[in-house]
Amino acid sequence: MAIAYFYEHYHSLSDMLFRDIIGQEVLKNRLVQTVKENRLSHAWLFFGPEGAGALPLALAFSGYILCTSREETDACGFCASCNKVGKFIHPDLHFVFPVNKTRSLEKDNVVSDDFIAEWRNFILKNPYGRLTQWYDFIDLENKQGVINTEESKRLAGKLNLKSFESDYKVVILWQPEKLNDQASNKLLKLLEEPPPLTIFILVSENPDQLLATVRSRCIPVKIPRINDIDLSEALVNKQNLEKNNAKNIVRLASGNYLKAIELISEAKDISYNFTKFRELMRSCFKINIPELIRLTDEFSALTREKQKAFLEYGLRTLRESLALHYNKAGIVYITDEEQEFIPNFAPFINGNNIIPFSDELNKAIQDIERNANGRIVFLDMTLKLAALIKR
Ligand SMILES: [Zn+2]
């Protein structure tokens, strides 16, 4: 649904600095202090709920560690190191993440490096992304990703080499819960006897699924949900939302930036459906035939999926109007416009007409599924609705 929109409209992050990250000021400060005071532990476990920013924070933290001219509260963003971290091509920044074979890569023991170009692209566009989005991104179809033994072996090999450009080598291990048992044990060995000047950052949504022995080797960093004020500000600044719309999205997103982006995309479709449903109901009420025909033409030009989504939206509005007519609570308004329209529309929906009204919409949905002619389906439906709305 939202994926295409998602990749088109995601703010383009060429840098992954602390200041690019939404909220989490307390944590950023804590991480900065750790580096400044030279208290860098060799293993960290960043964990928190989806959309809170565990991976972006791990990236910014790595950037800060690797930056050659660190500023007070952030990496400089300009040095050669920052430049490479910003493109995720720094030779001392290693990534491990779940993969599997795909149609275009049919071999055993696939490892992260086989997908490194895709990975860079993915985190550049969608650093808050979830595991299933990553799987879709590399076309895993219905396979699960894993972190296998070969991966751990290779990582051990890489970390045995001296660092190339920086004092430190940093390993970001995304979704370590996907390590298989053997690979976990190998990782554990690395964590127990870490190669010098190496920093592991495990980034997990389900730390309970990790070996307790792996967990206990890491400094835990709990990433809380983004607070509403910070999330709202991000939606205004990065997604160009009006303050009021941002407020509505924030209310439903529970501190999850990923969810917020998806809600914005859904809201765009809802906004179209809302506007057209309102026009349709007004024209039905006035029995404005030329306008009904114009709307019918417009609907019949939509794709079948959009036609169905519109009709389903109509059904939802009917249900909410009926609930409001009888003063039932629990109505979820998505937009301010709905909040104005539904109470005005509610008096026209009652026990006498709700069933035939819904029947007409349901029948239109079925006809569209059966590939009936869209213009005839919509014209037929609107004329019947016009007769029903006055009852
Ligand atoms: Zn720098």
Side-chain angles (χ1 to χ4, degrees):
M1 158 240 11
I3 296 294
Y5 169 85
F6 204 85
Y7 293 122
E8 270 167 49
H9 293 83
Y10 215 99
H11 56 101
S12 58
L13 281 165
S14 52
D15 301 298
M16 182 55 70
L17 305 175
F18 279 126
R19 59 178 165 269
D20 297 315
I21 290 168
I22 302 161
Q24 312 292 15
E25 296 306 325
V26 176
L27 261 183
K28 289 177 194 172
N29 195 31
R30 178 182 152 198
L31 294 170
V32 165
Q33 288 308 321
T34 311
V35 178
K36 282 202 211 147
E37 292 164 15
N38 240 334
R39 291 185 289 109
L40 265 177
S41 159
H42 77 277
W44 300 79
L45 173 59
F46 282 32
F47 66 99
E50 175 192 295
L55 180 61
L57 277 162
L59 292 165
F61 188 38
S62 311
Y64 194 61
I65 293 168
L66 295 170
C67 175
T68 52
S69 51
R70 269 176 223 138
E71 293 172 2
E72 265 307 287
T73 56
D74 216 333
C76 74
F78 296 104
C79 70
S81 172
C82 282
N83 215 304
K84 289 176 189 167
V85 171
K87 295 178 192 143
F88 312 119
I89 54 169
H90 195 293
D92 297 315
L93 178 59
H94 305 276
F95 292 103
V96 174
F97 41 84
V99 290
N100 207 328
K101 53 180 152 186
T102 62
R103 265 179 217 213
S104 46
L105 191 71
E106 280 275 3
K107 65 167 193 176
D108 291 328
N109 287 327
V110 285
V111 290
S112 301
D113 279 350
D114 292 320
F115 291 94
I116 192 67
E118 289 88 344
W119 172 252
R120 286 176 184 139
N121 216 348
F122 179 73
I123 54 175
L124 194 68
K125 289 177 172 156
N126 187 6
Y128 287 77
R130 68 170 71 91
L131 192 58
T132 48
Q133 290 177 324
W134 165 241
Y135 292 168
D136 287 344
F137 198 76
I138 55 172
D139 269 332
L140 273 198
E141 295 170 22
N142 42 22
K143 285 193 293 294
Q144 292 282 314
V146 284
I147 300 172
N148 59 27
T149 322
E150 177 64 23
E151 185 86 68
S152 294
K153 261 192 233 161
R154 289 223 195 170
L155 182 63
K158 282 183 197 171
L159 298 180
N160 267 330
L161 304 172
K162 276 190 70 131
S163 59
F164 292 92
E165 295 177 8
S166 164
D167 295 339
Y168 287 103
K169 285 167 278 185
V170 181
V171 181
I172 293 183
L173 214 158
W174 189 59
Q175 309 277 356
E177 45 270 52
K178 296 292 167 189
L179 281 153
N180 71 22
D181 289 350
Q182 262 191 318
S184 282
N185 282 315
K186 276 200 178 300
L187 175 71
L188 183 60
K189 285 221 176 69
L190 283 173
L191 295 178
E192 282 168 349
E193 288 168 43
L197 296 172
T198 300
I199 294 163
F200 293 88
I201 309 172
L202 280 58
V203 180
S204 168
E205 272 171 29
N206 303 296
D208 299 347
Q209 293 172 12
L210 297 175
L211 286 183
T213 40
V214 167
R215 246 188 352 246
S216 69
R217 290 275 159 188
C218 302
I219 304 278
V221 179
K222 186 174 191 295
I223 321 286
R225 295 182 183 284
I226 301 168
N227 77 45
D228 285 357
I229 295 168
D230 291 335
L231 186 57
S232 177
E233 205 171 283
L235 296 182
V236 171
N237 294 333
K238 294 180 195 277
Q239 301 293 329
N240 302 319
L241 245 56
E242 307 259 335
K243 264 199 174 141
N244 244 348
N245 286 345
K247 208 175 79 191
N248 285 331
I249 299 280
V250 165
R251 201 158 43 80
L252 299 169
S254 355
N256 177 342
Y257 187 52
L258 195 57
K259 172 92 182 157
I261 304 281
E262 288 171 339
L263 287 165
I264 294 171
S265 161
E266 279 169 31
K268 293 211 167 184
D269 291 342
I270 287 171
S271 176
Y272 173 84
N273 288 336
F274 165 77
T275 311
K276 294 301 157 182
F277 190 73
R278 186 178 54 185
E279 280 176 29
L280 180 67
M281 289 303 106
R282 283 180 179 162
S283 307
C284 282
F285 185 71
K286 292 184 198 148
I287 318 194
N288 181 342
I289 301 293
E291 187 57 15
L292 285 174
I293 289 173
R294 189 193 65 76
L295 282 167
T296 295
D297 285 348
E298 183 176 333
F299 297 144
S300 58
L302 298 173
T303 65
R304 282 179 196 277
E305 282 313 305
K306 297 222 162 171
Q307 291 175 352
K308 270 176 63 183
F310 170 74
L311 294 164
E312 274 154 11
Y313 176 84
L315 281 169
R316 193 196 122 217
T317 308
L318 282 186
R319 279 194 300 274
E320 302 212 329
S321 302
L322 186 71
L324 200 67
H325 188 92
Y326 293 104
N327 278 323
K328 292 264 161 35
I331 295 166
V332 183
Y333 299 115
I334 306 284
T335 61
D336 289 348
E337 289 172 313
E338 284 182 311
Q339 202 155 356
E340 278 168 32
F341 171 71
I342 294 180
N344 290 330
F345 180 57
F348 298 98
I349 295 300
N350 53 54
N352 291 328
N353 62 11
I354 179 75
I355 294 174
F357 219 108
S358 315
D359 282 351
E360 287 307 323
L361 289 165
N362 275 315
K363 185 174 164 296
I365 292 174
Q366 285 167 13
D367 289 344
I368 284 163
E369 281 170 351
R370 282 196 216 105
N371 268 347
N373 179 309
R375 179 170 282 131
I376 293 171
V377 172
F378 275 103
L379 192 57
D380 193 41
M381 180 192 78
T382 48
L383 293 175
K384 284 180 178 145
L385 294 183
L388 285 167
I389 204 167
K390 295 265 191 186
R391 268 194 215 168

